[in-house]
């Protein structure tokens, strides 16, 4: 009887959930135009990730100008003076204009991360590409969040 009660309590705890739901990010602005400058690959990827979250239902229109650059530095070398780790820094200067009021605001977002050099050059390039994609995702999320917070404050 004691084991049945323990099993029943254990299964009830497993089957019930806490009711946690992920909050869906909805933005209260519409992006009418995105212009890019600087590093073409990074700017193009940022533009696409920002435009994915665009909704046509909002009356607040903004125009975004993004100027991005990538800086690749050597972070570590071993005893034989061979590079073992690189550091990548992506800096994006974002200028957005709220169109009905023609209010201009400027953001500067910088993200830094490092990656290890692999034995194979292809693996090293893949590591760099994955790292850059992750940094671009973080920058795009931060751009949208800061613009959204700015709209909520006003």
């Amino acid at each position: 009887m004691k084991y049945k009660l323990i099993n029943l309590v254990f299964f009830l705890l497993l089957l019930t959930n806490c009711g946690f739901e992920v909050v869906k990010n909805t933005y209260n602005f519409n992006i009418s135009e995105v212009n890019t400058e600087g590093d073409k690959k990074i700017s193009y990827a940022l533009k696409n990730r920002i435009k994915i979250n665009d909704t046509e239902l909002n009356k607040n229109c903004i125009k975004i100008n993004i100027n991005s650059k990538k800086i690749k530095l050597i972070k570590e070398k071993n005893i034989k003076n061979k590079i073992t780790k690189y550091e990548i820094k992506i800096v994006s200067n974002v200028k957005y204009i709220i169109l009905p009021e023609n209010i201009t605001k400027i953001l500067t977002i910088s993200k830094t991360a490092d990656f290890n050099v692999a034995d194979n050059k292809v693996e090293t390039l893949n590591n760099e590409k994955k790292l850059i994609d992750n940094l671009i995702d973080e920058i795009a999320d931060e751009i949208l969040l800061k613009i959204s917070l700015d709209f909520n404050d006003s």
Side-chain angles (χ1 to χ4, degrees), residues 108-119:
T108 300
I109 299 171
S110 175
K111 296 288 180 182
T112 305
D114 56 315
F115 68 96
N116 294 324
V117 175
D119 295 333

Side-chain angles (χ1 to χ4, degrees), residues 8-108:
L8 179 65
V9 170
F10 179 72
F11 284 119
L12 285 176
L13 288 174
L14 282 178
L15 294 176
T16 59
N17 61 14
C18 64
F20 175 77
E21 289 184 29
V22 177
V23 176
K24 185 176 180 180
N25 287 337
T26 56
Y27 301 106
N28 55 350
F29 55 88
N30 179 26
I31 301 170
S32 64
E33 184 179 346
V34 179
N35 297 322
T36 59
E37 296 175 9
D39 192 313
K40 291 185 181 198
K41 287 175 92 174
I42 293 172
S43 296
Y44 183 75
L46 271 173
K47 177 180 177 180
N48 287 339
R49 288 192 175 91
I50 288 173
K51 289 295 270 184
I52 284 174
N53 295 312
D54 189 23
T55 58
E56 298 291 330
L57 303 174
N58 297 313
K59 63 178 180 163
N60 300 324
C61 289
I62 61 170
K63 179 180 175 183
I64 300 176
N65 296 320
I66 301 172
N67 186 357
S68 297
K69 66 179 177 178
K70 175 180 81 169
I71 302 166
K72 184 176 176 182
L73 302 170
I74 298 170
K75 186 165 185 178
E76 289 181 9
K77 289 185 178 184
N78 62 11
I79 296 172
K80 298 177 184 176
N81 206 23
K82 190 174 181 183
I83 299 168
T84 58
K85 195 178 279 190
Y86 283 104
E87 180 179 67
I88 299 248
K89 182 176 185 178
I90 298 177
V91 179
S92 293
N93 295 316
V94 180
K95 177 181 170 184
Y96 64 96
I97 302 167
I98 303 170
L99 290 179
E101 296 89 18
N102 281 333
I103 300 171
T104 303
K105 303 221 175 171
I106 297 173
L107 301 171
T108 300

